[in-house]
Amino acid sequence: MRIRPFDFKVATSLADALNQLDQAGSNARVLAGGTDLVLNMKKKNILPSTLISLHPIKNLEYVEEKNEMIHIGALAKHADLAIHPILEKYVSILCQAVGLIGSWQVRNIGTIGGNLCNASPAADAVPPLLALDAAVVIATLQGEKTVPINSFFCGPGQTVMKPNEILKEILIKKPLKPSAGCYLKLRRRKAVDISLAGVAFQAESDPSGQRIEQVKIALGGVAPTAIRVPDAENCLVGLSIEDAFQKIPMCADKAANAAKPIDDVRATADYKRTIVNVFVQRCAQHVLTTLKNYRGQS
Amino acid sequence: MNRLPIHLVVNKEDYHLFVKPNRVLLDVLREDLELTGTKEGCGLGKCGACTVLLNGRPVHACLTLALQVDGCEITTIEGIGGEKMHPLQEAFVDKGAIQCGFCTPGMINTAKALLDENANPSEEEIKQAIAGNLCRCTGYNKIVDAIHSCGCQSKKKKGGIK
């Protein structure tokens, strides 16, 4: 399978990449890991005139804690993020999700920035980032701008980024109270498959572990972009953990009702909606049990 | 489309090549370096037949542009073992983990990376690691057995040293 000819440029820094991208015109693309881009070029879905490779830029692969924030460089690879101690400590839901992306081969070269910019409605990194209220930093020729993740995606394959902008990093606020998260994904087969539906469930309790203070539920693969489901979240907020267990079925029904899946080659809309219901229940059980077990430990 | 220079270290040997941008690593390995042990299966990053080690980690050579890995260290199946077979290769033969053999180079590369990272992986860890390598002959059990036996051997050796 041949790839159509294109020009290849190498960027030595983010600033250099921005300049080259601007000069190369709107049909140029930035190359990170390439697991989606090269595949789409092979399939002739994307035919860029120029690729600007970011491979020499090594200082965008970081995961750092700065005050209350966690900063993840856009070129950090899925395989590294899946086992990163800072992420495991604070936002294990993200580790769970990126560890389920593609195969080991894909995770070893694919980047979180690429996963976001590719903007697949089924991208695994997105629901956890929505449930964590993350933000992304976009580098432009004029400087940097921060965009909340919930306004980053416009539709399948589309983001608010202009053709001459580059995603620089992802920002996640560290949870300050006891928190737990769970990501579940439905696939036709157990390994290496695109999500039919993904559910991310993140909750925070008060410091004593008695009451649920915050619940964030995000669904992937069941709408044009990943979505939050506030009605379902509100079912559980403010309840004691014991009461919250009782409300799980109601919460799951609301989440399933808010999903807008379509029939496609992979599964019917009805099936995806049912799965959202089941997965929200499983996630909620897991998260509430984890929060309950924190009691007395802090 | 101009050819651009790259430097690759393939199986510990240096190569300075001029490569067109639209060529993937798989093509360069097979056609320019004549290392035909690496196979093209689907060409779409699904089957894992083209798995090579990029700086020690398994990746799909079919989805990686050659220019993208300038300066990197690549290991193909030809670089595993030497005069004698690598213990993993021996284990695959002993356990009957090879039938048609088309998936084997990719499978061995993935397994080697796994054992380099984790000398004694569990059956579940092995299955996770080779999830991206399809085999249509063996049904995987013998492959998992072979990797597992190799893991156990390396553990025994370590135990012996103590």
Side-chain angles (χ1 to χ4, degrees):
Chain A
M1 213 174 295
R2 295 290 162 189
I3 298 172
R4 296 232 178 118
F6 56 89
D7 285 331
F8 189 89
K9 313 264 188 213
V10 173
T12 50
S13 68
L14 190 58
D16 180 32
L18 283 168
N19 276 323
Q20 293 203 42
L21 188 58
D22 193 52
Q23 283 161 17
S26 62
N27 201 18
R29 297 292 289 247
V30 163
L31 173 70
T35 52
D36 277 313
L37 182 55
V38 176
L39 177 64
N40 276 311
M41 287 165 69
K42 280 194 160 185
K43 289 180 170 176
K44 318 282 188 280
N45 293 336
I46 301 177
L47 299 167
S49 56
T50 308
L51 279 194
I52 294 158
S53 180
L54 305 181
H55 74 265
I57 306 176
K58 299 295 175 205
N59 61 357
L60 278 182
E61 296 179 11
Y62 52 83
V63 177
E64 290 167 359
E65 284 179 75
K66 282 183 201 159
N67 304 320
E68 281 112 57
M69 302 301 282
I70 300 167
H71 297 241
I72 304 173
L75 294 181
K77 295 180 176 74
H78 304 309
D80 295 328
L81 297 178
I83 53 165
H84 199 283
I86 294 177
L87 300 183
E88 276 180 340
K89 183 174 169 195
Y90 294 108
V91 289
S92 64
I93 189 171
L94 186 59
C95 302
Q96 295 168 33
V98 295
L100 292 172
I101 292 174
S103 58
W104 194 19
Q105 287 92 329
V106 167
R107 293 193 294 275
N108 277 330
I109 192 162
T111 65
I112 188 157
N115 193 251
L116 297 189
C117 291
N118 196 47
S120 159
D124 286 305
V126 178
L129 290 176
L130 270 174
L132 292 165
D133 260 339
V136 294
V137 177
I138 298 168
T140 74
L141 280 172
Q142 289 75 38
E144 292 178 1
K145 57 182 177 186
T146 305
V147 177
I149 192 92
N150 62 13
S151 47
F152 180 69
F153 300 102
C154 309
Q158 290 170 344
T159 71
V160 297
M161 281 172 60
K162 298 197 183 84
N164 63 349
E165 297 177 340
I166 298 175
L167 188 73
K168 185 193 164 201
E169 65 177 358
I170 294 122
L171 304 175
I172 302 171
K173 207 170 174 195
K174 273 197 246 170
L176 300 171
K177 295 177 181 161
S179 71
C182 180
Y183 180 74
L184 289 177
K185 136 176 185 176
L186 176 75
R187 296 171 281 188
R188 278 176 305 179
R189 64 191 200 94
K190 212 171 164 189
V192 200
D193 206 353
I194 189 167
S195 310
L196 300 179
V199 172
F201 190 111
Q202 177 80 10
E204 214 170 271
S205 72
D206 67 324
S208 64
Q210 303 295 326
R211 194 165 294 278
I212 303 293
E213 292 203 335
Q214 211 174 56
V215 175
K216 286 170 187 165
I217 305 171
L219 313 177
V222 292
T225 64
I227 51 166
R228 283 272 297 275
V229 283
D231 283 352
E233 296 169 1
N234 292 337
C235 289
L236 306 180
V237 176
L239 301 178
S240 70
I241 292 185
E242 283 71 16
D243 289 346
F245 272 110
Q246 306 299 320
K247 293 278 185 190
I248 289 175
M250 191 200 210
C251 166
D253 284 345
K254 291 204 167 166
N257 286 336
K260 297 179 193 69
I262 51 166
D263 291 320
D264 61 20
V265 288
R266 298 192 192 98
T268 62
D270 274 354
Y271 179 56
K272 291 184 202 170
R273 199 185 295 279
T274 307
I275 282 299
V276 167
N277 193 312
V278 173
F279 277 10
V280 169
Q281 298 201 38
R282 284 187 199 163
C283 283
Q285 287 284 351
H286 174 83
V287 169
L288 294 179
T289 308
T290 312
L291 286 175
K292 202 174 160 188
N293 293 339
Y294 281 153
R295 280 183 199 165
Q297 289 180 15
S298 50
Chain B
M1 193 169 49
N2 291 332
R3 289 168 193 265
L4 298 172
I6 49 168
H7 168 223
L8 296 178
V9 183
V10 181
N11 302 331
K12 302 200 169 129
E13 279 185 45
D14 283 297
Y15 292 91
H16 293 272
L17 306 163
F18 285 87
V19 177
K20 283 184 180 173
N22 66 343
R23 298 186 74 211
V24 290
L25 178 61
L26 177 68
D27 297 340
V28 171
L29 292 172
R30 287 182 58 88
E31 292 162 13
D32 298 8
L33 307 186
E34 297 183 351
L35 295 170
T36 53
T38 306
K39 305 300 180 198
E40 176 165 32
C42 64
L44 300 169
K46 291 179 191 289
C47 74
C50 67
T51 304
V52 297
L53 303 184
L54 174 68
N55 297 331
R57 296 165 76 162
V59 298
H60 293 127
C62 76
L63 288 188
T64 308
L65 295 176
L67 293 176
Q68 189 187 343
V69 294
D70 183 22
C72 292
E73 212 169 282
I74 313 287
T75 309
T76 69
I77 190 67
E78 288 88 348
I80 289 180
E83 294 281 295
K84 283 172 74 180
M85 282 198 290
H86 187 277
L88 251 175
Q89 292 169 312
E90 274 175 13
F92 268 58
V93 174
D94 290 346
K95 298 281 179 187
I98 300 172
Q99 285 183 31
C100 87
F102 197 82
C103 74
T104 310
M107 200 67 89
I108 297 263
N109 273 325
T110 305
K112 176 165 187 304
L114 172 69
L115 293 177
D116 287 348
E117 220 171 71
N118 176 357
N120 191 30
S122 67
E123 195 179 316
E124 192 51 39
E125 286 168 330
I126 295 170
K127 286 183 179 171
Q128 290 282 344
I130 62 166
N133 292 80
L134 300 188
C135 168
R136 300 291 80 173
C137 306
T138 64
Y140 300 103
N141 284 341
K142 293 179 175 188
I143 293 175
V144 174
D145 278 356
I147 300 171
H148 201 245
S149 71
C150 214
C152 295
Q153 271 178 13
S154 57
K155 194 186 176 193
K156 272 184 212 153
K157 276 180 208 158
K158 273 186 192 165
I161 293 165
K162 274 182 192 170

